[in-house]
């Protein structure tokens, strides 16, 4: 079952913050985050394994709440380069099927 | 250069004509997978392979076949393509399933 991402889209001004949520109804082993720019392939941001670990990539960080089966991606002090579509992917077991959410479109304006 | 290479990049074909999209990686990765991407539906996994000779269905395997005879190659086969398989396809590889995935450039397939 596909994880649910929210919001579907967000528009930011440069320097503003945003949060993207990813929720699953199933117990998860890991949550993966990718960003895809228009006309390009998805690019890896980070993976969170069960254990509630928080990770970071530049000014983008994420958390994983194992009890709620929810992950959040935090875009801090957004830059123009953060524009794109963000996907979360979830695994129920290591090396298993990876199921992506529908994506969140982010547009950062000057 | 470490990369995942898909061919062809663009393909227009007719209903029922068998086709193969190739995927090759040079990173000695164990895990490979295929996705299709359609507007509003995100990335949906078609098949994945945890290692050589081991493949399993993803979320949308109907109408597709794969094989993993060598570690580096993971071709996607459409035995009898139909218009509803018109989509953008991505191949990806990672060291293991729960590690960073590297995506190919994508193959835009149109079935008429």
């Amino acid at each position: 079952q596909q994880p649910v991402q929210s919001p579907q889209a967000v528009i930011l001004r440069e320097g503003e913050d945003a949060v993207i949520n990813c929720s699953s109804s199933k117990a998860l082993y890991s949550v993966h985050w990718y960003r895809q720019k228009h006309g390009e392939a998805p690019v890896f941001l980070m993976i969170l394994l069960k254990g509630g670990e928080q990770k970071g990539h530049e000014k983008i960080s994420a958390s994983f709440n194992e009890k709620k089966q929810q992950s959040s991606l935090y875009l801090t002090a957004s830059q123009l380069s953060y524009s794109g579509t963000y996907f979360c992917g979830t695994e129920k077991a290591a090396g298993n099927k990876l199921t992506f959410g529908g994506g969140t479109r982010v547009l950062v304006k000057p | 250069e470490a990369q995942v290479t898909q061919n062809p990049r663009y393909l227009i074909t007719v209903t029922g004509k068998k086709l193969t999209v190739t995927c090759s990686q040079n990173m000695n990765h164990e895990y490979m997978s295929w996705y299709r991407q359609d507007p509003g539906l995100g990335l949906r996994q078609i098949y994945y392979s945890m290692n050589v000779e081991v493949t399993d269905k993803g979320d949308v395997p109907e109408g597709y076949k794969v094989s993993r005879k060598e570690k580096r190659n993971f071709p996607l086969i459409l035995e009898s393509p139909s218009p509803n398989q018109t989509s953008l396809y991505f191949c990806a590889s990672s060291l293991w399933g729960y590690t960073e995935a590297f995506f190919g450039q994508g193959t835009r397939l149109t079935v008429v």
Side-chain angles (χ1 to χ4, degrees), chain B residues 36-91:
Chain B
R36 61 177 289 173
Q37 185 171 33
D38 303 288
L41 296 177
L43 293 155
R44 293 181 293 167
Q45 194 176 55
I46 303 170
Y47 271 95
Y48 65 98
S49 170
M50 294 175 68
N51 48 52
V52 174
E53 300 292 0
V54 178
T55 63
D56 206 348
K57 296 177 181 178
D59 289 314
V60 288
E62 295 78 20
Y64 304 95
K65 283 176 60 176
V66 292
S67 69
R68 186 95 182 271
K69 294 185 170 59
E70 318 166 81
K71 186 183 276 192
R72 64 182 293 125
N73 296 322
F74 192 45
L76 180 69
I77 303 158
L78 284 74
E79 294 269 2
S80 182
S82 62
N84 64 13
Q85 292 178 297
T86 292
S87 186
L88 177 59
Y89 291 86
F90 285 103
C91 177

Side-chain angles (χ1 to χ4, degrees), chain A residues 1-2 29-30 32 34 36 39-44 47 49 87 91 93-103, chain B residues 9 31 35 37 40-45 48 50 57-59 88 90 96-106:
Chain A
Q1 191 172 3
Q2 210 176 17
Y29 172 78
S30 67
H32 304 217
Y34 287 80
Q36 184 179 30
E40 299 180 6
V43 173
F44 173 80
I47 291 174
L49 303 180
F87 293 99
E91 276 184 301
N96 211 296
K97 182 169 64 173
L98 182 62
T99 302
F100 283 94
Chain B
R9 293 289 310 277
Y31 188 99
Y35 299 88
Q37 185 171 33
L41 296 177
L43 293 155
R44 293 181 293 167
Q45 194 176 55
Y48 65 98
M50 294 175 68
K57 296 177 181 178
D59 289 314
L88 177 59
F90 285 103
W96 310 110
Y98 52 90
T99 56
E100 174 183 359
F102 295 83
F103 283 78
Q105 324 92 298

